[in-house]
Amino acid sequence: MNDRLVVLGGGVIGLSCAWRAAQDGHAVTLLDPAPGSGASWVAGGMLAPVTEAWPGEEDLLALGVESVHRWPGFAADLGEAAGRPAGLRTEGTVVAATGSGDRAELDALAAHLDRLGRPTERLSGRELRRLEPAIGPDVRGGLSVPDDLAVDNRALLAALRAAAEKAGVEFDPRSARQVREDGGHVTGVVCTEGADVDADVVLVCAGAYSAGLDPSLAGLVRPVKGEILRLARRPGALPAPRRTVRALVDGRPVYAVPRDDDGIVVGATQAETGFDTEVTVAGVRDLLRDVERVLPGVAEYALLEAAAGLRPGSPDNLPLIGGRGPDGLLVATGHHRNGMLLAPVTADAVLALLRGEPVPDPVRAADPARFTAADKREPASGSSERS
């Protein structure tokens, strides 16, 4: 097999798809001036389909559950191919609530999941503190979700880059201007500088920037800003939690994802502000205020980094995975806050499309063909309130 595949975008989705396609025998070129940067670089790394569940988004829940089940095998294959760990953490997730209103919202989420046949374990505040002593007395109760995992996003990106290089992916440090086509067929990519790149198939994985690369994607992907903090434990401070801790604090969501270096990533704000990636004082203030309510010991941690990225949102919060526009154009974008989670199932779906095989069943709901010109509408209800 020597099909020329050009992948536009080197975030977690683009790198995963490029690696798998090159393993399968495709001649793969990945265009990105800074692979592994952008939203993937500042991600929290939660692999949390259950605790991300939201009424009305059952297709997204099914897709996420399918992908999290693939994660252990994906991480093992990647670690072997890259010669370095993929960063997977399997300790699970707890969800904490501070006030009575927060606990009522978590009870509603648990009831919703029960109805879907995905029960969670309800815990009192004392039971949560037995699991994670770092959780403070303001927490009144919550949930345990052991199957919601996490990954160190930067370890993952380094492993994907190494595996892709070993598989023969060619990295082109230029930016794509648009997909080139002729007579309804993809013929390559027009770059912002230098010669065009010829291709038999083009895969658009450019995250929040995807919509500008082909007219068929106009209005279907938008930037959603998110700010995160990276904290490091200092001598004498309480240890970081072993599990991911998600929480509601007076109705506001916050999360803390542990890292192997005794640090945590705290996130995330969410705002529809276009392509703005500046970190705001209010964002840092709010994240620190809320995480300290849940994990009081972080007040003694060092603040190492404050960063912002642009999640690629779609009109209905489902990603776009499949064919779109001219023949030979594939898309894998619009993953919003679930890029890390959905990387394995997305890469498997793209590989199936390249082979002319059916995609995994839960991916069918993410087919871009569900959108017509009339569907380029406002964001789905609830999409601007959650992190």
Side-chain angles (χ1 to χ4, degrees), residues 5-362:
L5 170 66
V6 174
V7 178
L8 306 185
V12 64
I13 298 297
L15 286 169
S16 298
C17 294
W19 165 51
R20 287 298 205 193
Q23 274 190 325
D24 204 46
H26 292 270
V28 181
T29 299
L30 187 149
L31 265 70
D32 194 317
S37 62
S40 295
W41 182 251
V42 300
M46 291 181 296
L47 311 177
V50 173
T51 50
E52 284 277 311
W54 193 261
E57 294 185 352
E58 287 74 24
D59 286 338
L60 182 58
L61 173 60
L63 184 60
V65 168
E66 176 69 23
S67 198
V68 82
H69 287 163
R70 294 173 186 243
W71 247 103
F74 178 83
D77 291 347
L78 177 58
E80 182 177 356
R84 58 189 301 162
L88 181 64
R89 297 184 61 100
T90 59
E91 294 87 349
T93 297
V94 294
V95 190
T98 54
S100 58
D102 299 325
R103 190 160 186 180
E105 187 167 341
L106 286 192
D107 286 343
L109 171 62
H112 170 64
L113 291 168
D114 285 344
R115 290 191 294 272
L116 297 177
R118 305 188 187 279
T120 60
E121 182 183 2
R122 293 173 172 85
L123 300 175
S124 67
R126 183 173 297 177
E127 289 170 327
L128 277 175
R129 280 182 282 279
R130 279 202 290 265
L131 283 179
E132 291 294 347
I135 291 176
D138 279 359
V139 170
R140 305 300 178 85
L143 309 173
S144 174
V145 188
D147 292 334
D148 272 9
L149 311 179
V151 67
D152 183 325
N153 61 313
R154 296 182 182 179
L156 173 63
L157 292 168
L160 284 168
R161 177 69 186 261
E165 289 176 342
K166 290 181 178 181
V169 174
E170 177 186 351
F171 285 82
D172 188 324
R174 294 181 293 166
S175 296
R177 177 178 290 129
Q178 65 183 51
V179 176
R180 190 186 71 197
E181 57 183 273
D182 183 25
H185 296 273
V186 163
T187 60
V189 176
V190 179
C191 298
T192 54
E193 59 182 23
D196 294 358
V197 180
D198 295 333
D200 300 303
V201 180
V202 172
L203 174 64
V204 177
C205 301
Y209 298 90
S210 297
L213 294 174
D214 188 84
S216 66
L217 295 173
L220 295 182
V221 185
R222 71 189 192 283
V224 182
K225 180 180 178 180
E227 296 158 301
I228 62 98
L229 309 175
R230 294 177 73 91
L231 311 182
R233 181 190 178 200
R234 298 195 307 146
L238 288 173
R242 294 180 298 113
R243 298 165 180 82
T244 296
V245 178
R246 299 175 64 101
L248 286 173
V249 179
D250 298 333
R252 298 181 301 272
V254 67
Y255 62 73
V257 188
R259 293 292 188 255
D260 290 341
D261 58 2
D262 220 8
I264 56 175
V265 175
V266 177
T269 64
Q270 183 155 290
E272 306 265 353
T273 56
F275 290 91
D276 167 30
T277 55
E278 287 189 332
V279 177
T280 65
V281 171
V284 174
R285 177 201 65 205
D286 291 350
L287 290 173
L288 289 175
R289 175 196 62 207
D290 289 345
V291 76
E292 192 177 357
R293 285 276 302 279
V294 181
L295 304 171
V298 301
E300 299 300 323
Y301 281 45
L303 175 58
L304 297 184
E305 180 182 343
L310 299 173
R311 308 176 185 95
S314 75
D316 60 2
N317 292 334
L318 271 171
L320 286 72
I321 306 171
R324 181 77 184 179
D327 184 46
L329 180 66
L330 300 179
V331 298
T333 187
H335 291 74
H336 200 198
R337 60 194 180 275
N338 294 306
M340 295 286 157
L341 167 64
L342 297 178
V345 77
T346 300
D348 288 347
V350 167
L351 200 58
L353 291 165
L354 291 171
R355 292 173 173 174
E357 299 172 356
V359 299
D361 285 347

Side-chain angles (χ1 to χ4, degrees), residues 366-379:
D367 189 337
R370 70 189 187 274
F371 292 117
T372 65
D375 293 318
K376 299 173 184 179
R377 56 186 184 274
E378 292 298 316

